[in-house]
Amino acid sequence: MDGDSRIPILRMGRLLLVTIQVDMHDRMAVALQEDLTGQIVRTGATGVLIDISALDLVDSFIGRMLADIAAMARVLDAATVVVGMRPAVAITLVELGLSLEGVQTALNVERGMALLPSVATEPDADEGEDEDDGPVSEADAAPAR
Amino acid sequence: MSGDEVALSSDEDVVRARHVTRRLAVEAGLRLVDQTKLVTAVSELARNTVIHGGGGVLTAGLVHDGPRTGVRVTCQDEGPGIADLDRAFQDGYTTGNGLGLGFGGARRLVHDFDVRTAPGQGTTITVVRWG
Amino acid sequence: MTTPTPSPADALLSAVLLEDSAVLLTAWAAALDRQFAGARDVADAERECGRLLTAVGRELRADPAIPPRGSTRWEPLRDVLVELSRDCAQAGLSPSETATLVFLLKQPLFDRLRERAAESAGGAEGLTDALWAATTFVDELGLESFDAYLRSREDIIRRQQDELLELSTPVVKLWTGILAVPLIGTLDSARTQVVMESLLEKIIETDAPMAIIDITGVPTVDTLVAQHLLKTVAAARLMGADCIISGIRPQIAQTIVHLGLDLSDVTTKASLADALRVALDRSGYEVRKIGRPA
């Protein structure tokens, strides 16, 4: 719960994997959103997997953050899958009135990966290593799916 | 009712409010789904207190009614108050940077929901979820 | 029946209950054996009788006035009576038999009161009052045990209802990754909620991304139940699982339309078989007959 701690983002080829394991406060959620969009652009990622199986609560703020990440990623031509939401959390979100429209979901990381077929299988070797900071044009060429 | 108190002035306090509520919900013997609903509602209300109420205090404790045990949480602030309560409950209504689910949504997650507010008089919201 | 500051009658009754408790218990147990011996096993209940006399003694030592029912001093007695009636229920005694068991304390108590009165000079005049106080006291104990018995029976019924609820909503695996809940009978809000939760738990447990909710056996649904079903589908989707609702009867279809519920996001099928076909299809399975040139 350290004020400046950030959620780590793991990169696997063209996939970004985020495992949220702490009860995030709002600034942390906002920081994650910024970090992720930055990383998508920097790495030319085409898929984002967010594992929330450790979260025992998703309130409207975190829910909105997830929906926003998915929407922003879409604009940047990356697909987002939120995986591992617990039953009690899902029931509560529905009751709260949040349906996370436009967010793909899966039961676990493995099934989530399967929803992003072009990603984990063939990481584009040269482009993968390319630490280009500017807007990545390869991302435009990527949608070979 | 014995009271746990959490000062609400920052993001971290909202997280603390969730933890205090969760602990009480477990103590009251609430089922997991009921715990989650209550803690989520409190998260919404505590955030509201921080953002719109300019900070405040959360008090939480167990309540008993015959064989039933529940958790009661109160969020109190000295902020500007709410002028139009009906509108504040409507889904989609918001004055801050929320989705507008905070109030109406939180009400659906608890059994009792009581608001005391007036313009300039601050806001006190008390919620109870029974086991 | 109220006994304010220790009257001579109360003092006499108190003295008997306090000082002669061993004699009372022996005589009480003997009376129990005469009444129930052979028919019921009242050994546990007898032990509670001893605890009851001990609890009564504890209260009277602190204050010789007989504690009236409902007072704070009565509470320890009530707690023992709750245990007593539970033991009686387990031994197969009826509520009235349980009360009778408590009433059997009267005879030994009266005997001892009479003996005490005879021992002390001029004790006879307080005797009538003391007998009255004793009968009132024992009556209250008996009635409390009767109430406790009924309360515990209600608890048992409630628990059995809960168990029945679990039993009546089995989540079954139809195929790898495909679950089904065949719902039968009237759905109320509580039961629907139980179904909802156990289905979602099972989805995680078995890693099943497809679930079929079959309501062929459900005659009718009300608004609340229909909404619960839709919420289940929405919650499953958030978790990454697809739900299909099958077996919607015409009446239920009408209800749904009349209630203005939106089912456009939900896959619905007429029969469980149709739903299974869709589920298999979506899971990447193909179903065809063999033994015939394809």
Side-chain angles (χ1 to χ4, degrees):
Chain A
M1 245 197 290
D2 167 8
D4 295 309
S5 64
R6 288 175 114 84
I7 311 278
I9 301 172
L10 228 82
R11 182 179 158 195
M12 300 163 66
R14 301 203 129 188
L15 170 75
L16 297 179
L17 175 62
V18 181
T19 307
I20 305 176
Q21 278 174 328
V22 294
D23 192 353
M24 290 185 295
H25 56 66
D26 295 358
R27 275 200 323 284
M28 247 169 127
V30 173
L32 174 62
Q33 190 172 307
E34 285 165 2
D35 290 353
L36 255 180
T37 43
Q39 284 265 13
I40 294 171
V41 172
R42 242 188 329 278
T43 63
T46 55
V48 178
L49 210 65
I50 306 177
D51 181 2
I52 59 166
S53 57
L55 286 192
D56 58 12
L57 165 142
V58 171
D59 65 4
S60 65
F61 195 90
I62 301 170
R64 185 179 61 147
M65 188 250 336
L66 293 172
D68 284 357
I69 288 176
M72 291 172 191
R74 201 158 39 243
V75 174
L76 299 169
D77 201 23
T80 306
V81 185
V82 171
V83 306
M85 187 183 292
R86 297 185 186 177
V89 173
I91 291 171
T92 303
L93 263 189
V94 170
E95 205 71 54
L96 196 56
L98 272 179
S99 55
L100 302 191
E101 252 7 280
V103 179
Q104 273 190 288
T105 54
L107 291 176
N108 48 46
V109 173
E110 204 183 344
R111 288 189 182 277
M113 294 250 229
L115 290 177
L116 303 167
S118 65
V119 176
T121 38
E122 12 97 33
D124 232 306
D126 339 315
E127 290 163 5
E129 304 299 359
D130 203 344
E131 287 294 322
D132 201 335
D133 265 356
V136 184
S137 53
E138 291 88 272
D140 302 331
R145 52 196 181 101
Chain B
M1 119 184 175
S2 63
D4 268 77
E5 258 192 38
V6 179
L8 295 172
S9 61
S10 69
D11 286 359
E12 287 85 347
D13 294 337
V14 176
V15 174
R16 220 162 285 140
R18 298 204 282 249
H19 291 175
V20 166
T21 310
R22 173 77 69 176
R23 186 171 45 71
L24 286 168
V26 171
E27 201 179 310
L30 262 60
R31 293 162 58 251
L32 182 61
V33 174
D34 296 325
Q35 289 173 26
T36 310
K37 285 182 177 175
L38 175 68
V39 177
T40 306
V42 169
S43 182
E44 305 292 339
L45 298 177
R47 178 180 295 113
N48 235 41
T49 302
V50 171
I51 296 175
H52 303 302
V57 182
L58 172 142
T59 351
L62 300 185
V63 279
H64 303 276
D65 175 27
R68 299 194 300 170
T69 302
V71 180
R72 171 159 58 200
V73 181
T74 302
C75 287
Q76 186 168 16
D77 67 55
E78 311 284 318
I82 302 165
D84 189 345
L85 257 186
D86 287 342
R87 227 149 66 91
F89 274 117
Q90 277 166 24
D91 275 3
Y93 174 76
T94 178
T95 55
N97 55 341
L99 256 187
L101 292 165
F103 238 51
R107 182 161 66 169
R108 282 194 294 275
L109 296 178
V110 292
H111 291 121
D112 306 341
F113 192 105
D114 176 65
V115 194
R116 272 145 222 266
T117 185
Q121 304 288 305
T123 304
T124 302
I125 300 180
T126 302
V127 299
V128 181
R129 176 132 201 135
W130 296 101
Chain C
M1 63 178 254
T2 46
T3 31
T5 35
S7 61
D10 254 23
L12 180 58
L13 178 55
S14 262
V16 169
L17 284 168
L18 261 176
E19 291 155 28
D20 301 340
S21 69
V23 183
L24 286 175
L25 184 58
T26 314
W28 194 3
L32 289 185
D33 287 343
R34 270 197 305 281
Q35 179 87 14
F36 297 106
R40 310 269 192 231
D41 176 16
V42 288
D44 286 339
E46 275 184 32
R47 202 166 41 247
E48 296 301 336
C49 290
R51 284 188 53 210
L52 181 63
L53 287 179
T54 311
V56 169
R58 203 176 301 127
E59 287 309 312
L60 294 180
R61 229 184 314 277
D63 178 354
I66 302 296
R69 193 175 174 193
S71 65
T72 40
R73 293 177 61 220
W74 179 266
E75 275 168 29
L77 310 188
R78 192 194 53 205
D79 291 345
V80 179
L81 288 165
V82 167
E83 297 284 327
L84 175 86
S85 58
R86 185 176 309 149
D87 288 339
C88 288
Q90 262 160 20
L93 269 67
S94 69
S96 61
E97 281 177 314
T98 302
T100 305
L101 181 145
V102 176
F103 292 149
L104 285 175
L105 171 61
K106 274 188 189 176
Q107 195 59 56
L109 195 53
F110 288 3
D111 289 348
R112 282 306 299 150
L113 282 172
R114 222 173 278 122
E115 285 166 31
R116 281 242 175 192
E119 285 161 14
S120 66
E125 58 195 74
L127 180 60
T128 321
D129 288 344
L131 287 176
W132 176 246
T135 196
T136 307
F137 182 55
V138 176
D139 282 350
E140 288 187 339
L141 292 174
L143 290 177
E144 185 73 78
S145 73
F146 189 86
D147 281 354
Y149 187 105
L150 292 185
R151 271 198 307 273
S152 76
R153 182 177 279 188
E154 278 162 15
D155 279 351
I156 291 171
I157 292 172
R158 203 169 305 125
R159 205 168 51 241
Q160 283 174 341
Q161 271 175 344
D162 287 350
E163 280 164 13
L164 213 62
L165 207 59
E166 307 268 327
L167 281 178
S168 64
T169 53
V171 180
V172 295
K173 178 177 162 185
L174 288 186
W175 203 266
T176 309
I178 303 175
L179 297 178
V181 225
L183 295 174
I184 292 165
T186 309
L187 286 179
D188 58 18
S189 179
R191 184 171 164 218
T192 315
Q193 218 154 345
V194 172
V195 178
M196 169 165 167
E197 287 171 29
S198 62
L199 174 63
L200 298 181
E201 289 292 344
K202 203 75 172 203
I203 284 174
I204 296 285
E205 220 174 275
T206 60
D207 186 27
M210 293 293 305
I212 301 168
I213 303 173
D214 182 68
I215 57 171
T216 311
V218 178
T220 168
V221 297
D222 61 17
T223 324
L224 222 53
V225 170
Q227 274 168 348
H228 273 313
L229 288 176
L230 294 183
K231 283 178 188 169
T232 310
V233 176
R237 199 199 73 80
L238 284 174
M239 291 163 49
D242 257 347
C243 278
I244 301 171
I245 299 181
S246 68
I248 300 182
R249 288 160 171 253
Q251 297 97 305
I252 296 181
Q254 283 173 18
T255 311
I256 289 171
V257 172
H258 284 159
L259 296 174
L261 296 173
D262 182 13
L263 253 69
S264 54
D265 288 342
V266 182
T267 310
T268 53
K269 287 287 153 214
S271 69
L272 181 56
D274 291 344
L276 178 59
R277 183 174 287 277
V278 172
L280 284 169
D281 185 52
R282 284 194 200 162
S283 309
Y285 295 103
E286 188 187 344
V287 184
R288 60 186 170 84
K289 266 190 174 167
I290 55 165
R292 183 202 276 197

